Amino acid sequence: MSAPDIVHASLTVTRDYDHPPERVFAAWSSAEAKRQWFGADSDGFEIEEYKLDFRPGGSERCHGRKPGGGMFSNDGVYHYIVENEKIVLTYYMTIDGAPYSVSLTIIELTQHGKGTRLKLIEDNAFLTGVDENAGRTKGWTWVLGRIDEELNRQRLS
């Protein structure tokens, strides 16, 4: 049996925040903060392991259960970081132990009025033979919204 075709797809998601770039960047660079919006147990996800070593050459690991059952893993490597401005990482995702995707992600933060415009650009290689880009775009849109929720929660604390 041959392996499925690899499907290449790209996406861009832009999100504006009423928080300065330093706060948005801190949401990515702090393990405690990122655990709350990226790896938190929410919407049926159960995180069993989350680790973040935020530096060029550092890694990130998020493993757990998906809503409705089944396991997922997300293992990343940070390649390039400019404080408060840019983050470049790659990550490998599996679903139930099977290869799912490999991604190159670029995050750009720019001052936008009194807040921040975040632009996330991602090139995906879906290893399942199926174009999963619409679902990935929906996922990133949801996750980036959770950053705003976390920053607003911190503001109220």
Side-chain angles (χ1 to χ4, degrees), residues 6-139:
I6 295 172
V7 176
H8 172 258
S10 299
L11 64 89
T12 301
V13 178
T14 302
R15 175 86 186 214
D16 292 336
Y17 298 97
D18 291 331
H19 309 279
E22 299 78 23
R23 291 205 59 225
V24 177
F25 184 83
W28 288 84
S29 62
S30 160
E32 182 180 331
K34 192 166 184 191
R35 171 83 169 81
Q36 292 305 308
W37 63 265
F38 183 77
D41 297 322
S42 65
D43 291 351
F45 287 93
E46 296 176 31
I47 305 306
E48 295 182 354
E49 179 183 12
Y50 183 78
K51 295 180 182 178
L52 176 64
D53 178 11
F54 188 80
R55 61 180 174 82
S59 63
E60 181 173 23
R61 171 165 251 196
C62 185
H63 296 262
R65 296 190 180 281
K66 302 183 311 166
M71 301 296 293
F72 73 91
S73 68
N74 186 346
D75 293 293
V77 175
Y78 288 89
H79 300 281
Y80 183 72
I81 298 170
V82 177
E83 188 171 359
N84 304 324
E85 294 180 20
K86 297 183 188 319
I87 303 167
V88 178
L89 67 133
T90 54
Y91 66 94
Y92 173 66
M93 186 178 285
T94 65
I95 304 291
D96 295 327
Y100 181 75
S101 65
V102 178
S103 303
L104 167 66
T105 308
I106 301 166
I107 295 117
E108 298 175 338
L109 304 173
T110 55
Q111 187 77 41
H112 183 70
K114 293 182 181 179
T116 302
R117 174 160 289 161
L118 182 149
K119 182 177 181 182
L120 183 143
I121 305 158
E122 189 166 273
D123 280 321
N124 296 299
F126 293 104
L127 309 175
T128 60
V130 178
D131 185 345
E132 303 282 352
N133 213 44
R136 182 65 57 88
T137 301
K138 182 179 177 183

